[in-house]
């Protein structure tokens, strides 16, 4: 069952989403060779709690951390470790926050120092595909229109679109109906209506679309061990049009400040 939100509820959700946005902006200031994902996790948890919110992922489905840190060939659900990030790595940070009973949830893939040109393109195209999907999030369209836009764009570059993991509805629960695949056919799936709030999150692989799960029970990696990128926004349909509740502004400001890669 899909839970449509009132404009008042959407404004509450915007606050939760922006806490995640600011958390990811803080992460952008700290990501550099030598820092460990567990150090980032600690910084993120403290910041979220300082905002009067709770970490949205911590304890969810028994997940043990505040942020998800997926490095290089890790697609999503990477557990933070003590392995320092290295020059040339990429790291996808996925984060959630719960405030006033509603969740925010979004993600960004960061470069660690200088990265190869082909990986820069993967990040750029994946981020662009997110906005291709958002453009289709209008009342009267269908879920398949979002997935088709993402799939059509990314596959034109020869990339693999992950099938096993998808975006989702968002609200009082982290994962609500409907599922929002990053692939699909135009005109198929549930109709998009006023008050729908969804997390759109393309997960795009440089090589094969196939993925496998590691023995830790969480981390999903590409089957060919080529890099993967992940970007995510929270999007509401307001007055029939898409309204992005989260923001990459804080990340972009931080990257400009520290001289990081803007994609």
């Amino acid at each position: 069952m899909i839970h449509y939100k009132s404009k008042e509820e959407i404004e509450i959700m915007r606050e939760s989403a922006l806490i995640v946005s600011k958390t990811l902006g803080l992460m952008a200031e700290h990501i550099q060779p030598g820092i460990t994902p567990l150090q980032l996790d600690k910084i993120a948890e403290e910041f979220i709690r300082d905002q009067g919110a709770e970490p949205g992922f911590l304890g969810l489905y028994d997940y043990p951390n505040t942020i998800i840190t997926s490095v290089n060939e890790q697609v999503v659900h990477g557990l933070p470790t003590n392995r320092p990030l290295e020059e040339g790595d990429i790291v996808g940070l996925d984060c959630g926050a719960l405030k006033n009973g509603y969740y925010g949830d979004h993600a960004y893939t960061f470069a660690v120092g200088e990265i190869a040109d082909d990986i820069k393109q993967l990040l750029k195209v994946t981020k662009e595909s997110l906005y291709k999907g958002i453009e289709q999030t209008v009342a009267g369209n269908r879920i398949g229109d979002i997935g088709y836009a993402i799939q059509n764009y990314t596959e034109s570059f020869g990339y693999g679109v992950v099938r096993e993991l998808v975006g989702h509805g968002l609200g009082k629960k982290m994962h609500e109906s409907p599922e929002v695949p990053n692939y699909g056919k135009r005109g198929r799936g549930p109709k998009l209506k006023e008050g729908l709030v969804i997390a759109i999150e393309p997960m795009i692989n440089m090589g094969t679309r196939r993925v496998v799960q590691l023995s830790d029970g969480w981390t999903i990696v590409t089957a060919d061990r080529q890099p993967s990128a992940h970007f995510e926004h929270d999007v509401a349909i307001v007055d029939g049009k898409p309204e992005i509740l989260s923001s990459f502004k804080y990340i972009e400001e931080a990257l400009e400040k520290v001289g990081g890669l803007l994609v």
Side-chain angles (χ1 to χ4, degrees), residues 62-79:
D62 295 323
Y63 185 73
N65 297 96
T66 291
I67 57 174
I68 289 168
T69 57
S70 304
V71 182
N72 297 331
E73 75 276 6
Q74 296 177 355
V75 181
V76 286
H77 301 168
L79 293 171

Side-chain angles (χ1 to χ4, degrees), residues 118-136:
D118 57 346
I119 301 178
K120 287 180 185 176
Q121 177 178 272
L122 173 67
L123 268 57
K124 179 175 181 289
V125 169
T126 304
K127 185 179 178 185
E128 289 171 346
S129 77
L130 170 60
Y131 291 99
K132 299 285 185 185
I134 291 171
E135 287 173 2
Q136 297 300 315

Side-chain angles (χ1 to χ4, degrees), residues 19 44-55 58 66:
I19 289 171
E45 180 177 355
E46 290 177 355
F47 181 80
I48 290 169
R49 294 193 188 281
D50 284 346
Q51 310 311 303
E54 297 176 23
L58 184 61
T66 291

